[in-house]
């Protein structure tokens, strides 16, 4: 016994809908579907980030729950796969994703001191730590350092801005490490916190030296950031341990 084929009714589009409008509606429908997938993946990542926070092997003790080395590896891996014209957008998105993942372990307080160009420093810090960070502007860099030394959060402080706060990284604030620079290869602001030295990013080492005679390895060029009464803040490509005689106080990725 044969059966007549079942035909699906296809209603014609309204006469006033153009082919261009139909194509646009189809694209929007596809975007809606991708948004649903992105939401599901993002919420899954947040759940995994919360589990990672409970299982972290480092940092430990008095250190902040930050792994700049891991964040750098994640960002580098993703950017290597991104198209060149998308990398700026991907970098920003990845920072936000990582920031919200960290927030599942507790929001990161960030204090920003930049008397000359506060908006610039604030924007750089926001890009680095994401909207999940609790950011506030402060007027006193020494108070911000004391706050960071207690393990309260991260201090983002301008350099070459009238206060040689960075000299204290060799003295009363030796428990703090620089782990990020803002504004390109010659940073105008640095992020400091109680970071596990093993978790510092791969990149130029930050030096605080007196008299300019600290050795950082033959042939390695230094890039000066600030000076004060014989003290010098600079970057070097030499691989140096934090807290050693060379004056290394951290690294920037």
């Amino acid at each position: 016994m044969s059966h007549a084929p079942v035909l699906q009714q296809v209603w014609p589009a309204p006469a006033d809908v153009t082919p261009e409008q139909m194509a646009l509606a189809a694209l929007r429908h596809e975007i809606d579907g991708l948004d649903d997938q992105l939401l599901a993946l993002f919420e899954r990542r947040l759940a995994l980030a919360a589990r990672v926070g409970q299982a972290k092997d480092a940092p430990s003790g008095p250190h902040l729950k930050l792994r700049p080395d891991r964040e750098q590896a994640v960002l580098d891996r993703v950017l290597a796969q991104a198209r060149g014209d998308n990398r700026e957008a991907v970098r920003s998105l990845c920072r936000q994703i990582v920031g919200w993942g960290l927030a599942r372990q507790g929001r990161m307080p960030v204090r920003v001191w930049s008397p000359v160009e506060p908006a610039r420093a604030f924007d750089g810090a926001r890009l680095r730590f994401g909207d999940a960070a609790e950011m506030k502007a402060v007027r006193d860099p020494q108070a911000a350092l004391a706050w960071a030394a207690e393990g309260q959060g991260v201090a983002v402080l301008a350099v070459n801005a009238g206060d040689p706060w960075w000299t204290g990284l060799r003295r009363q604030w030796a428990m703090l490490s620089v782990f990020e620079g803002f504004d390109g290869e010659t940073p105008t602001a640095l992020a400091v916190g109680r970071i596990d030295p093993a978790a510092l990013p791969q990149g130029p080492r930050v030096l605080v030296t007196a008299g300019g005679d600290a050795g950082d390895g033959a042939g390695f060029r230094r890039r000066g950031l600030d000076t004060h009464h014989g003290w010098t803040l600079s970057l070097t490509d030499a691989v140096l341990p934090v807290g050693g005689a060379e004056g290394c106080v951290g690294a920037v990725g």
Side-chain angles (χ1 to χ4, degrees):
M1 180 178 180
S2 61
H3 297 277
V6 177
L7 299 179
Q8 181 179 2
Q9 178 68 50
V10 179
W11 295 100
D16 57 346
V17 176
T18 66
E20 290 80 8
Q21 290 172 323
M22 293 179 64
L24 179 59
L27 290 173
R28 287 173 172 166
H29 179 73
E30 185 174 356
I31 287 175
D32 289 344
L34 289 174
D35 286 343
D36 293 342
Q37 295 178 51
L38 288 171
L39 175 59
L41 289 172
F42 181 50
E43 291 186 330
R44 183 179 175 188
R45 193 188 193 285
L46 289 177
L48 288 172
R51 292 175 60 187
V52 166
Q54 298 172 356
K56 276 185 178 178
D57 56 349
S60 59
H63 303 119
L64 294 173
K65 291 184 177 182
L66 281 177
R67 288 297 307 244
D69 59 339
R70 169 62 180 164
E71 294 177 29
Q72 182 186 53
V74 169
L75 186 60
D76 289 347
R77 184 181 66 82
V78 173
L79 288 177
Q81 301 177 66
R83 285 177 39 177
D85 56 345
N86 290 335
R87 283 179 183 161
E88 183 178 0
V90 170
R91 180 188 299 275
S92 177
L93 177 61
C94 192
R95 286 296 192 191
Q96 290 287 351
I97 290 173
V98 170
W100 283 110
L102 287 172
R104 287 301 170 98
Q105 305 160 34
R107 293 205 176 201
M108 179 59 61
V110 180
R111 301 292 179 263
V112 181
W113 176 79
S114 181
V116 179
E117 293 183 285
R120 190 174 185 177
F122 222 90
D123 288 346
R126 179 65 73 191
L127 178 62
R128 169 61 178 80
F129 298 106
D131 291 332
E134 296 179 349
M135 296 180 54
K136 293 183 180 180
V138 297
R139 297 182 179 180
D140 183 357
Q142 296 302 319
L145 287 166
W147 174 82
E150 294 173 354
Q152 300 293 324
V154 171
V156 173
L157 308 172
V159 298
N160 201 14
D163 188 306
W165 59 266
W166 44 268
T167 61
L169 297 177
R170 288 287 302 275
R171 299 179 291 184
Q172 68 266 42
W173 311 123
M175 72 292 293
L176 297 174
S177 295
V178 177
F179 67 95
E180 187 63 271
F182 303 94
D183 210 16
E185 292 186 0
T186 305
T188 60
L190 300 173
V192 300
R194 297 197 70 154
I195 304 297
D196 186 342
L200 288 173
Q202 299 295 316
R205 264 31 190 177
V206 183
L207 300 180
V208 174
T209 55
D213 58 352
D216 55 4
F220 285 101
R221 181 175 63 93
R222 292 187 185 182
R223 285 169 280 169
L225 302 180
D226 201 0
T227 59
H228 177 75
H229 292 177
W231 289 86
T232 302
L233 175 67
S234 59
L235 301 180
T236 179
D237 292 328
V239 180
L240 302 171
V242 174
E246 298 90 348
C248 179
V249 297
V252 296

